[in-house]
Amino acid sequence: MEKKKEEFFKGDGEVQKTVHQSIEVRLQNLTKEFTDKFGKITVAVNDFSVVIPAGKLIGLLGPSGCGKSTTLYLIAGLLKPTAGSIYFGDEDVTNMPPEKRGIGLVFQNYALYPHMTVRQNIMFPLENIKMPKLEALALAQEMAELVHIGDLMDRKPNQLSGGQQQRVAIARALVKKPRVLLLDEPLSNLDARLRLQTREEIRRIQRETGITTIFVTHDQEEAMSISDEIVVMNLGLKQQMDRPQSVYEEPINMFVAKFLGNPPINIFEANLKGGQLVMKDGEVVARGFTQEDQEVFVGLRPEYLRVSEKGEITAKIDLVEHIGRDTMILCIIEGYDHLIRAIVPNDRQFHVGETVKFNCSKLFVFNGENGERYR
Ligand SMILES: Nc1ncnc2c1ncn2[C@@H]1O[C@H](COP(=O)(O)OP(=O)(O)OP(=O)(O)O)[C@@H](O)[C@H]1O
Ligand SMILES: [Mg+2]
Protein backbone atom coordinates (compact mmCIF):
# COMPACT_ATOMS: atom_id res chain seq x y z
CA MET A 1 0.00 0.00 0.00
CA GLU A 2 1.43 3.32 -0.99
CA LYS A 3 0.01 6.77 -0.72
CA LYS A 4 1.45 10.15 -1.45
CA LYS A 5 1.17 13.28 0.49
CA GLU A 6 1.74 16.76 -0.81
CA GLU A 7 3.11 19.26 1.58
CA PHE A 8 4.59 22.68 1.80
CA PHE A 9 2.91 25.70 0.40
CA LYS A 10 5.15 28.69 0.42
CA GLY A 11 4.11 32.32 0.54
CA ASP A 12 4.51 34.91 -2.25
CA GLY A 13 2.27 33.12 -4.67
CA GLU A 14 4.74 30.41 -5.41
CA VAL A 15 3.68 26.90 -4.51
CA GLN A 16 6.48 24.50 -3.75
CA LYS A 17 5.67 20.86 -3.39
CA THR A 18 7.60 18.25 -1.59
CA VAL A 19 6.18 14.84 -2.11
CA HIS A 20 6.92 12.43 0.68
CA GLN A 21 5.91 8.85 0.21
CA SER A 22 4.14 6.86 2.87
CA ILE A 23 4.81 3.20 2.74
CA GLU A 24 4.00 0.18 4.86
CA VAL A 25 6.96 -1.60 6.46
CA ARG A 26 6.61 -5.30 7.14
CA LEU A 27 9.04 -7.43 9.13
CA GLN A 28 8.46 -11.12 8.70
CA ASN A 29 9.99 -13.63 11.13
CA LEU A 30 13.10 -11.47 11.32
CA THR A 31 16.02 -13.03 13.20
CA LYS A 32 19.52 -11.71 13.77
CA GLU A 33 22.19 -13.74 15.49
CA PHE A 34 25.66 -12.48 16.34
CA THR A 35 28.48 -14.94 16.88
CA ASP A 36 31.45 -13.78 18.91
CA LYS A 37 35.03 -14.98 18.45
CA PHE A 38 34.49 -17.84 20.91
CA GLY A 39 31.54 -19.06 18.86
CA LYS A 40 28.97 -17.93 21.41
CA ILE A 41 25.71 -16.91 19.74
CA THR A 42 23.59 -13.93 20.82
CA VAL A 43 20.10 -13.86 19.36
CA ALA A 44 19.59 -10.10 19.21
CA VAL A 45 16.32 -10.25 17.25
CA ASN A 46 14.23 -13.39 17.54
CA ASP A 47 11.54 -14.34 15.01
CA PHE A 48 10.22 -10.79 15.02
CA SER A 49 7.14 -9.99 12.93
CA VAL A 50 5.33 -6.66 12.75
CA VAL A 51 3.39 -4.65 10.21
CA ILE A 52 4.03 -0.92 10.48
CA PRO A 53 1.22 0.90 8.72
CA ALA A 54 2.01 3.54 6.09
CA GLY A 55 2.42 7.03 7.48
CA LYS A 56 2.44 6.06 11.15
CA LEU A 57 4.95 6.79 13.87
CA ILE A 58 5.81 3.63 15.75
CA GLY A 59 7.75 3.59 19.01
CA LEU A 60 10.05 0.61 19.45
CA LEU A 61 10.40 0.28 23.19
CA GLY A 62 12.32 -2.06 25.44
CA PRO A 63 15.17 -2.32 27.95
CA SER A 64 18.83 -1.96 27.08
CA GLY A 65 20.11 -4.85 24.99
CA CYS A 66 16.67 -6.09 23.91
CA GLY A 67 17.45 -5.69 20.20
CA LYS A 68 15.99 -2.29 19.28
CA SER A 69 19.01 -0.88 17.45
CA THR A 70 19.65 -4.20 15.74
CA THR A 71 16.06 -4.19 14.43
CA LEU A 72 16.53 -0.66 13.13
CA TYR A 73 19.82 -1.50 11.40
CA LEU A 74 18.19 -4.52 9.78
CA ILE A 75 15.46 -2.27 8.39
CA ALA A 76 18.12 0.19 7.23
CA GLY A 77 20.12 -2.57 5.57
CA LEU A 78 23.24 -1.89 7.64
CA LEU A 79 22.95 -5.43 8.99
CA LYS A 80 21.87 -8.57 7.16
CA PRO A 81 19.29 -10.77 8.88
CA THR A 82 20.13 -14.37 9.78
CA ALA A 83 16.59 -15.27 8.73
CA GLY A 84 13.34 -13.58 7.78
CA SER A 85 12.29 -10.85 5.37
CA ILE A 86 11.71 -7.12 5.22
CA TYR A 87 9.16 -5.53 2.90
CA PHE A 88 8.62 -1.88 2.03
CA GLY A 89 5.13 -1.98 0.58
CA ASP A 90 5.09 -4.93 -1.80
CA GLU A 91 8.80 -4.74 -2.39
CA ASP A 92 11.09 -7.28 -0.74
CA VAL A 93 14.08 -5.19 0.37
CA THR A 94 15.78 -7.91 2.45
CA ASN A 95 18.80 -8.08 0.16
CA MET A 96 18.73 -4.51 -1.13
CA PRO A 97 21.76 -2.34 -0.26
CA PRO A 98 21.06 0.46 2.24
CA GLU A 99 21.47 3.33 -0.25
CA LYS A 100 18.76 1.88 -2.49
CA ARG A 101 16.19 1.42 0.26
CA GLY A 102 15.23 5.07 0.65
CA ILE A 103 15.66 5.38 4.39
CA GLY A 104 16.63 8.32 6.56
CA LEU A 105 18.54 7.44 9.69
CA VAL A 106 19.12 9.57 12.79
CA PHE A 107 21.33 8.38 15.62
CA GLN A 108 21.58 9.31 19.24
CA ASN A 109 24.75 11.32 18.68
CA TYR A 110 23.93 13.57 15.80
CA ALA A 111 27.03 12.63 13.79
CA LEU A 112 27.19 16.00 12.05
CA TYR A 113 30.34 16.97 10.17
CA PRO A 114 31.97 19.53 12.48
CA HIS A 115 33.88 21.42 9.79
CA MET A 116 30.78 21.94 7.62
CA THR A 117 28.06 24.51 8.02
CA VAL A 118 24.49 23.51 8.73
CA ARG A 119 23.67 24.05 5.06
CA GLN A 120 26.55 21.85 3.91
CA ASN A 121 25.60 19.16 6.40
CA ILE A 122 22.02 19.04 5.16
CA MET A 123 23.10 19.10 1.51
CA PHE A 124 25.69 16.40 1.94
CA PRO A 125 23.48 13.42 0.98
CA LEU A 126 22.42 15.28 -2.17
CA GLU A 127 26.02 15.84 -3.28
CA ASN A 128 26.47 12.09 -3.12
CA ILE A 129 23.68 11.63 -5.61
CA LYS A 130 25.01 14.53 -7.73
CA MET A 131 21.92 16.69 -7.54
CA PRO A 132 22.43 20.06 -9.30
CA LYS A 133 23.62 22.70 -6.83
CA LEU A 134 20.68 25.11 -7.09
CA GLU A 135 18.14 22.38 -6.65
CA ALA A 136 20.07 20.98 -3.68
CA LEU A 137 20.28 24.44 -2.07
CA ALA A 138 16.54 24.95 -2.39
CA LEU A 139 15.78 21.54 -1.00
CA ALA A 140 18.15 21.97 1.94
CA GLN A 141 16.51 25.30 2.75
CA GLU A 142 13.08 23.72 2.59
CA MET A 143 14.06 20.91 4.96
CA ALA A 144 15.74 23.37 7.33
CA GLU A 145 12.55 25.38 7.45
CA LEU A 146 10.52 22.27 8.08
CA VAL A 147 12.56 21.61 11.21
CA HIS A 148 12.66 25.32 12.13
CA ILE A 149 16.38 25.99 11.70
CA GLY A 150 16.13 27.96 8.46
CA ASP A 151 17.98 30.94 9.96
CA LEU A 152 20.95 28.91 11.23
CA MET A 153 22.24 27.69 7.88
CA ASP A 154 25.65 29.39 8.06
CA ARG A 155 26.57 28.16 11.53
CA LYS A 156 28.85 25.28 12.35
CA PRO A 157 27.53 22.45 14.56
CA ASN A 158 29.51 23.64 17.61
CA GLN A 159 27.59 26.92 17.44
CA LEU A 160 24.29 25.14 17.94
CA SER A 161 22.46 23.76 20.97
CA GLY A 162 21.93 20.01 21.26
CA GLY A 163 18.32 20.29 20.15
CA GLN A 164 19.29 22.39 17.13
CA GLN A 165 21.99 19.89 16.18
CA GLN A 166 19.46 17.11 16.36
CA ARG A 167 17.17 19.06 14.01
CA VAL A 168 20.02 19.39 11.54
CA ALA A 169 20.44 15.62 11.72
CA ILE A 170 16.71 15.19 11.06
CA ALA A 171 16.76 17.64 8.14
CA ARG A 172 19.72 15.75 6.69
CA ALA A 173 17.85 12.47 7.06
CA LEU A 174 14.80 13.95 5.32
CA VAL A 175 16.49 15.71 2.44
CA LYS A 176 16.55 12.68 0.16
CA LYS A 177 12.82 12.17 0.67
CA PRO A 178 13.16 8.82 2.36
CA ARG A 179 10.37 6.26 2.29
CA VAL A 180 11.06 5.39 5.91
CA LEU A 181 12.53 7.45 8.73
CA LEU A 182 14.46 5.57 11.41
CA LEU A 183 15.34 7.31 14.68
CA ASP A 184 17.58 5.58 17.21
CA GLU A 185 17.24 7.22 20.62
CA PRO A 186 17.43 10.65 19.00
CA LEU A 187 16.74 12.54 22.21
CA SER A 188 18.92 10.84 24.77
CA ASN A 189 21.70 13.43 24.59
CA LEU A 190 19.34 16.28 25.38
CA ASP A 191 18.41 17.67 28.77
CA ALA A 192 14.89 17.14 30.09
CA ARG A 193 13.35 20.31 28.66
CA LEU A 194 14.93 20.05 25.24
CA ARG A 195 13.93 16.42 25.11
CA LEU A 196 10.32 17.33 25.59
CA GLN A 197 10.47 20.12 23.02
CA THR A 198 12.34 18.09 20.45
CA ARG A 199 10.03 15.11 20.74
CA GLU A 200 7.07 17.37 20.04
CA GLU A 201 8.96 18.71 17.05
CA ILE A 202 9.59 15.20 15.78
CA ARG A 203 5.90 14.46 16.13
CA ARG A 204 5.00 17.59 14.18
CA ILE A 205 7.53 16.92 11.44
CA GLN A 206 6.32 13.34 11.12
CA ARG A 207 2.69 14.49 10.85
CA GLU A 208 3.57 17.15 8.27
CA THR A 209 5.56 14.79 6.09
CA GLY A 210 3.56 11.61 6.66
CA ILE A 211 6.73 9.51 6.47
CA THR A 212 6.47 6.08 8.07
CA THR A 213 8.68 6.48 11.11
CA ILE A 214 10.20 4.12 13.63
CA PHE A 215 11.36 5.72 16.81
CA VAL A 216 13.58 3.67 19.09
CA THR A 217 13.68 4.47 22.77
CA HIS A 218 14.02 2.78 26.14
CA ASP A 219 12.02 5.60 27.72
CA GLN A 220 8.42 4.49 28.14
CA GLU A 221 7.05 7.96 28.65
CA GLU A 222 8.71 9.18 25.46
CA ALA A 223 7.32 6.26 23.48
CA MET A 224 3.84 6.63 24.96
CA SER A 225 3.68 10.34 24.23
CA ILE A 226 4.68 10.44 20.58
CA SER A 227 3.74 7.10 19.04
CA ASP A 228 0.65 6.11 17.12
CA GLU A 229 1.44 2.59 18.26
CA ILE A 230 4.21 1.11 20.34
CA VAL A 231 5.99 -2.18 19.95
CA VAL A 232 7.32 -3.50 23.25
CA MET A 233 10.34 -5.74 22.90
CA ASN A 234 12.25 -7.91 25.36
CA LEU A 235 15.16 -10.32 24.78
CA GLY A 236 14.80 -9.93 21.02
CA LEU A 237 11.15 -10.95 21.10
CA LYS A 238 8.11 -8.86 20.29
CA GLN A 239 5.92 -8.72 23.37
CA GLN A 240 3.03 -6.56 22.24
CA MET A 241 2.06 -3.98 19.65
CA ASP A 242 -0.86 -1.65 20.15
CA ARG A 243 -1.86 1.94 20.79
CA PRO A 244 0.01 3.31 23.83
CA GLN A 245 -3.06 3.51 26.05
CA SER A 246 -4.11 -0.04 25.15
CA VAL A 247 -0.70 -1.45 25.97
CA TYR A 248 -0.82 0.37 29.30
CA GLU A 249 -4.34 -0.69 30.18
CA GLU A 250 -4.33 -4.15 28.64
CA PRO A 251 -0.79 -5.50 28.92
CA ILE A 252 -0.38 -8.95 27.50
CA ASN A 253 2.03 -10.14 30.19
CA MET A 254 3.80 -9.13 33.38
CA PHE A 255 6.88 -7.85 31.55
CA VAL A 256 4.83 -5.30 29.61
CA ALA A 257 2.81 -4.35 32.70
CA LYS A 258 6.01 -3.69 34.65
CA PHE A 259 7.83 -1.93 31.83
CA LEU A 260 5.09 0.68 31.36
CA GLY A 261 3.93 2.99 34.10
CA ASN A 262 5.51 5.59 36.33
CA PRO A 263 5.29 5.14 39.28
CA PRO A 264 5.54 1.45 38.44
CA ILE A 265 2.84 -1.14 38.86
CA ASN A 266 2.57 -3.00 42.19
CA ILE A 267 3.10 -6.73 41.88
CA PHE A 268 2.44 -9.31 44.58
CA GLU A 269 1.81 -12.99 44.94
CA ALA A 270 -1.67 -14.36 45.52
CA ASN A 271 -3.64 -17.54 44.94
CA LEU A 272 -6.49 -18.59 42.73
CA LYS A 273 -8.71 -20.84 44.84
CA GLY A 274 -12.03 -22.06 43.56
CA GLY A 275 -12.23 -19.19 41.08
CA GLN A 276 -11.44 -16.59 43.72
CA LEU A 277 -8.38 -14.41 43.93
CA VAL A 278 -7.13 -14.71 47.49
CA MET A 279 -4.47 -12.51 49.04
CA LYS A 280 -1.96 -13.89 51.52
CA ASP A 281 -3.94 -12.57 54.47
CA GLY A 282 -6.96 -14.57 53.28
CA GLU A 283 -8.91 -11.64 51.82
CA VAL A 284 -10.74 -12.28 48.55
CA VAL A 285 -10.13 -9.36 46.18
CA ALA A 286 -11.74 -10.66 42.97
CA ARG A 287 -13.96 -13.51 41.80
CA GLY A 288 -15.08 -15.33 38.71
CA PHE A 289 -11.84 -16.90 37.49
CA THR A 290 -12.07 -20.05 35.41
CA GLN A 291 -8.45 -21.15 35.80
CA GLU A 292 -7.56 -24.04 38.10
CA ASP A 293 -6.18 -23.37 41.58
CA GLN A 294 -2.64 -22.01 41.43
CA GLU A 295 -0.20 -19.36 42.58
CA VAL A 296 -0.39 -16.19 40.53
CA PHE A 297 0.95 -12.67 40.45
CA VAL A 298 -1.39 -9.73 40.89
CA GLY A 299 -0.64 -6.41 39.22
CA LEU A 300 -2.20 -3.25 40.56
CA ARG A 301 -1.38 0.11 39.07
CA PRO A 302 -0.99 2.83 41.74
CA GLU A 303 -3.99 4.69 40.36
CA TYR A 304 -6.20 1.58 40.49
CA LEU A 305 -6.15 1.57 44.31
CA ARG A 306 -9.05 3.47 45.86
CA VAL A 307 -9.21 4.42 49.50
CA SER A 308 -12.49 3.05 50.85
CA GLU A 309 -13.94 2.20 54.26
CA LYS A 310 -15.07 -1.15 52.89
CA GLY A 311 -11.87 -1.94 51.00
CA GLU A 312 -10.52 -5.50 51.07
CA ILE A 313 -6.86 -4.53 51.20
CA THR A 314 -5.61 -3.28 54.54
CA ALA A 315 -2.45 -1.22 54.49
CA LYS A 316 -0.30 0.78 56.84
CA ILE A 317 1.19 4.01 55.52
CA ASP A 318 4.98 4.11 55.49
CA LEU A 319 5.64 7.26 53.48
CA VAL A 320 3.62 10.16 52.06
CA GLU A 321 4.93 12.00 48.99
CA HIS A 322 3.33 15.03 47.40
CA ILE A 323 3.88 14.84 43.67
CA GLY A 324 2.34 17.94 42.13
CA ARG A 325 -1.38 17.50 41.73
CA ASP A 326 -1.48 14.12 43.46
CA THR A 327 -0.23 12.46 46.57
CA MET A 328 1.55 9.15 46.48
CA ILE A 329 1.51 6.96 49.53
CA LEU A 330 3.74 3.96 50.11
CA CYS A 331 2.15 1.32 52.29
CA ILE A 332 2.80 -2.10 53.73
CA ILE A 333 -0.11 -4.44 53.13
CA GLU A 334 -1.16 -7.20 55.45
CA GLY A 335 0.43 -10.55 54.68
CA TYR A 336 3.25 -9.05 52.59
CA ASP A 337 6.62 -7.61 53.40
CA HIS A 338 7.01 -5.26 50.48
CA LEU A 339 5.71 -1.76 49.89
CA ILE A 340 2.98 -0.86 47.46
CA ARG A 341 2.35 2.53 45.95
CA ALA A 342 -1.01 4.21 45.67
CA ILE A 343 -1.90 7.53 44.08
CA VAL A 344 -4.54 9.16 46.21
CA PRO A 345 -6.54 12.36 45.92
CA ASN A 346 -5.28 15.50 47.62
CA ASP A 347 -8.59 16.23 49.31
CA ARG A 348 -7.66 14.51 52.53
CA GLN A 349 -4.56 14.25 54.67
CA PHE A 350 -2.68 10.97 55.03
CA HIS A 351 -0.27 10.30 57.85
CA VAL A 352 2.61 7.90 58.33
CA GLY A 353 1.56 5.02 60.58
CA GLU A 354 -2.13 5.39 59.73
CA THR A 355 -4.07 2.32 58.58
CA VAL A 356 -6.07 2.67 55.35
CA LYS A 357 -8.26 0.32 53.37
CA PHE A 358 -8.24 0.05 49.61
CA ASN A 359 -10.35 -1.57 47.02
CA CYS A 360 -9.14 -1.89 43.47
CA SER A 361 -10.99 -0.51 40.48
CA LYS A 362 -9.00 -2.86 38.25
CA LEU A 363 -6.32 -5.47 38.62
CA PHE A 364 -4.30 -7.82 36.45
CA VAL A 365 -3.70 -11.49 37.17
CA PHE A 366 -0.61 -13.13 35.71
CA ASN A 367 0.31 -16.78 35.39
CA GLY A 368 2.80 -17.50 38.20
CA GLU A 369 5.21 -19.27 35.89
CA ASN A 370 5.32 -17.56 32.51
CA GLY A 371 3.82 -14.19 33.44
CA GLU A 372 1.08 -14.36 30.82
CA ARG A 373 -1.97 -12.36 31.73
CA TYR A 374 -5.26 -14.09 32.42
CA ARG A 375 -8.30 -12.35 30.99
N1 LIG B 1 27.91 -6.42 16.54
C1 LIG B 1 27.49 -7.18 17.56
N2 LIG B 1 28.15 -8.31 17.90
C2 LIG B 1 27.72 -9.08 18.90
N3 LIG B 1 26.64 -8.82 19.65
C3 LIG B 1 25.94 -7.71 19.37
C4 LIG B 1 26.33 -6.83 18.31
N4 LIG B 1 25.44 -5.80 18.26
C5 LIG B 1 24.55 -6.03 19.25
N5 LIG B 1 24.84 -7.17 19.92
C6 LIG B 1 24.08 -7.76 21.03
O1 LIG B 1 22.74 -7.90 20.61
C7 LIG B 1 21.84 -7.56 21.64
C8 LIG B 1 20.92 -6.43 21.19
O2 LIG B 1 21.68 -5.26 21.00
P1 LIG B 1 21.02 -3.88 20.55
O3 LIG B 1 22.12 -2.92 20.33
O4 LIG B 1 20.10 -4.16 19.42
O5 LIG B 1 20.17 -3.51 21.84
P2 LIG B 1 19.31 -2.19 22.15
O6 LIG B 1 17.93 -2.64 22.47
O7 LIG B 1 19.49 -1.19 21.06
O8 LIG B 1 19.98 -1.68 23.51
P3 LIG B 1 20.26 -0.14 24.02
O9 LIG B 1 18.95 0.36 24.59
O10 LIG B 1 21.28 -0.36 25.10
O11 LIG B 1 20.76 0.66 22.87
C9 LIG B 1 22.70 -7.23 22.84
O12 LIG B 1 22.80 -8.35 23.64
C10 LIG B 1 24.03 -6.86 22.23
O13 LIG B 1 25.08 -7.13 23.12
MG1 LIG C 1 20.37 0.71 20.96
Side-chain angles (χ1 to χ4, degrees):
M1 186 177 65
E2 215 168 308
K3 47 180 184 176
K4 296 204 169 176
K5 190 167 178 177
E6 295 185 356
E7 286 289 341
F8 251 60
F9 299 92
K10 287 218 165 156
D12 54 65
E14 178 202 0
V15 179
Q16 229 186 36
K17 282 183 195 165
T18 289
V19 181
H20 284 282
Q21 297 175 321
S22 292
I23 200 163
E24 178 187 279
V25 174
R26 193 150 43 91
L27 310 182
Q28 219 167 290
N29 307 101
L30 205 59
T31 296
K32 177 65 184 177
E33 296 176 357
F34 292 108
T35 310
D36 70 12
K37 59 184 177 193
F38 307 107
K40 191 176 163 280
I41 294 174
T42 304
V43 187
V45 177
N46 193 349
D47 198 25
F48 194 90
S49 298
V50 293
V51 177
I52 296 162
K56 296 288 182 197
L57 191 160
I58 299 300
L60 185 53
L61 178 67
S64 182
C66 75
K68 304 180 296 293
S69 295
T70 304
T71 305
L72 218 58
Y73 300 157
L74 289 167
I75 299 171
L78 301 174
L79 289 173
K80 266 188 98 64
T82 311
S85 315
I86 302 166
Y87 292 89
F88 286 1
D90 295 328
E91 192 176 5
D92 184 343
V93 300
T94 315
N95 295 308
M96 192 184 274
E99 65 278 7
K100 293 238 166 75
R101 292 192 185 193
I103 42 118
L105 192 53
V106 178
F107 298 98
Q108 165 179 356
N109 51 353
Y110 334 109
L112 300 177
Y113 302 108
H115 58 286
M116 292 186 189
T117 62
V118 168
R119 180 181 292 106
Q120 289 166 330
N121 264 286
I122 300 175
M123 281 169 66
F124 188 76
L126 301 176
E127 276 167 30
N128 280 347
I129 56 168
K130 308 228 162 27
M131 181 183 278
K133 186 83 185 280
L134 277 179
E135 202 181 322
L137 276 169
L139 202 53
Q141 189 65 36
E142 188 189 335
M143 289 307 135
E145 274 160 27
L146 176 68
V147 302
H148 294 171
I149 49 161
D151 50 349
L152 304 175
M153 294 295 261
D154 293 310
R155 297 221 197 148
K156 295 270 176 69
N158 66 2
Q159 299 168 312
L160 301 175
S161 73
Q164 289 166 338
Q165 290 182 48
Q166 199 53 295
R167 288 166 200 231
V168 177
I170 294 168
R172 190 177 58 183
L174 289 173
V175 79
K176 275 170 74 182
K177 313 275 172 63
R179 301 193 281 181
V180 181
L181 182 62
L182 305 171
L183 306 163
D184 194 358
E185 310 242 8
L187 308 179
S188 45
N189 276 341
L190 308 181
D191 69 37
R193 233 178 78 197
L194 256 185
R195 256 183 112 109
L196 209 72
Q197 257 177 28
T198 313
R199 90 180 182 209
E200 281 159 13
E201 280 293 273
I202 289 176
R203 186 63 188 146
R204 175 187 64 77
I205 294 160
Q206 195 276 331
R207 285 235 169 92
E208 281 183 22
T209 57
I211 299 181
T212 310
T213 301
I214 303 168
F215 183 102
V216 163
T217 177
H218 60 264
D219 181 330
Q220 46 125 352
E221 198 212 317
E222 200 166 282
M224 298 271 287
S225 66
I226 91 168
S227 311
D228 292 308
E229 292 194 37
I230 58 178
V231 179
V232 183
M233 206 174 170
N234 189 34
L235 302 169
L237 293 161
K238 180 178 86 174
Q239 305 289 310
Q240 188 168 7
M241 176 174 181
D242 211 332
R243 288 178 302 114
Q245 208 54 31
S246 307
V247 179
Y248 183 79
E249 284 171 8
E250 303 295 339
I252 197 162
N253 60 32
M254 193 155 79
F255 173 83
V256 174
K258 282 163 88 169
F259 199 73
L260 297 183
N262 185 23
I265 192 167
N266 300 297
I267 302 276
F268 36 82
E269 292 164 8
N271 282 285
L272 286 182
K273 269 187 203 148
Q276 298 188 326
L277 181 64
V278 188
M279 304 274 288
K280 284 200 168 163
D281 65 352
E283 285 287 353
V284 174
V285 287
R287 297 180 165 79
F289 293 89
T290 53
Q291 289 79 13
E292 59 189 42
D293 290 3
Q294 61 189 285
E295 286 193 356
V296 292
F297 287 107
V298 174
L300 261 174
R301 295 215 181 272
E303 68 273 25
Y304 295 167
L305 283 159
R306 298 269 159 78
V307 178
S308 155
E309 290 294 312
K310 285 181 275 191
E312 305 90 356
I313 300 176
T314 307
K316 199 171 147 197
I317 299 179
D318 196 61
L319 190 72
V320 179
E321 268 178 29
H322 298 283
I323 45 169
R325 266 185 312 133
D326 298 310
T327 300
M328 184 167 71
I329 55 177
L330 280 97
C331 323
I332 294 178
I333 49 175
E334 239 164 62
Y336 295 86
D337 55 8
H338 56 86
L339 292 168
I340 64 164
R341 291 184 178 81
I343 292 179
V344 292
N346 263 339
D347 54 13
R348 106 161 176 58
Q349 291 281 315
F350 293 90
H351 305 283
V352 172
E354 182 185 339
T355 298
V356 284
K357 283 179 169 284
F358 294 112
N359 59 29
C360 14
S361 57
K362 180 170 180 174
L363 53 77
F364 304 130
V365 178
F366 304 105
N367 181 304
E369 262 146 40
N370 62 21
E372 253 172 57
R373 183 168 151 225
Y374 291 140
R375 294 165 194 249

